[in-house]
Amino acid sequence: MSYPENYRYAKSHEWLEVDGKTGIIGITDYAQSSLGDIVFVELPKVGDKLDAGSPFGSVESVKAVSELYSPAAGTVTEINEALNDEPETINTDANETWIIKLSLTGDESDDLLSAADYEKFVAEETGH
């Protein structure tokens, strides 16, 4: 699995790409692979304020429902509405399929990992 170097990663398996004052959030390739076929994504509302580490929605697959956590503090400025009709897009390309965009209001979580550190974390978690 590949993890883009310019992203930061949460141990809850979300990624964060920072573009100026905008935070773009999705789930990792490992997360989508573990979940299996994604059939539904619960999205927050534009304008919702999130703290780093706070839940903002969920992803439902044929195997399980998984809570989504924000890796940074901010206000939701955009949701990926295409996921309402095509949630399986996440399975196709987790690294490029964003879920929400935030106007960043604070620092990202101190617990975020680099791509290399996230890869190590996943290896330790899975025993591979």
Side-chain angles (χ1 to χ4, degrees), residues 41-116:
V41 180
E42 179 190 1
L43 299 166
K45 291 181 176 54
V46 170
D48 283 359
K49 293 183 182 350
L50 303 175
D51 293 323
S54 68
F56 68 83
S58 62
V59 175
E60 183 178 335
S61 73
V62 293
K63 292 183 185 178
V65 175
S66 185
E67 204 73 82
L68 296 168
Y69 298 92
S70 182
T75 301
V76 178
T77 57
E78 200 175 339
I79 58 172
N80 188 344
E81 294 197 31
L83 294 175
N84 289 325
D85 296 324
E86 298 177 351
E88 68 278 2
T89 307
I90 295 172
N91 292 118
T92 307
D93 193 354
N95 290 332
E96 293 296 320
T97 305
W98 59 276
I99 297 172
I100 63 171
K101 293 184 180 181
L102 298 178
S103 173
L104 298 172
T105 57
D107 294 331
E108 56 198 52
S109 170
D110 292 337
D111 296 334
L112 295 185
L113 307 170
S114 68

Side-chain angles (χ1 to χ4, degrees), residues 27-43:
I27 66 169
T28 66
D29 197 33
Y30 169 76
Q32 73 78 23
S33 175
S34 297
L35 285 167
D37 294 336
I38 294 172
V39 296
F40 180 74
V41 180
E42 179 190 1
L43 299 166

